[in-house]
Amino acid sequence: MGIVVVEICDSNLMNTFDIENIIETEYPEVAVLINDCLNFCGLCRLKPYALVNNRRIHGKTPEQTLEKIKKAIEEELALFH
């Protein structure tokens, strides 16, 4: 498992593209977990979001959220380097 964990709800808009492959290819130190539910009831229907080391990251579009996820990953990895 990676030193950074990205969690995504299976029902979330972030699953409109292969986020697991995108993130894990670019960041081998990151583990992407797709969960049935992250217990933020209703949030997954309202906007795309993910948890990066338990920090909620969201945006208006899946693409914008992906960029914010990458920024959060970079910040987390900086703590380990």
Side-chain angles (χ1 to χ4, degrees), residues 30-61:
V30 175
V32 177
L33 305 175
I34 308 295
N35 295 307
D36 289 336
C37 183
L38 293 175
N39 295 319
F40 290 103
C41 294
L43 183 60
C44 60
R45 288 189 303 254
L46 297 175
K47 59 178 125 181
Y49 82 98
L51 298 178
V52 177
N53 281 1
N54 292 318
R55 191 174 87 193
R56 205 171 342 158
I57 307 296
H58 55 82
K60 292 182 180 182
T61 66

Side-chain angles (χ1 to χ4, degrees), residues 2-39:
I3 58 175
V4 177
V5 177
V6 176
E7 296 178 83
I8 298 172
C9 180
D10 190 41
S11 301
N12 194 277
L13 293 170
M14 290 307 297
N15 284 321
T16 57
F17 46 83
D18 188 4
I19 185 142
E20 188 173 9
N21 188 43
I22 292 168
I23 296 292
E24 289 182 351
T25 299
E26 190 169 340
Y27 302 99
E29 321 81 331
V30 175
V32 177
L33 305 175
I34 308 295
N35 295 307
D36 289 336
C37 183
L38 293 175
N39 295 319

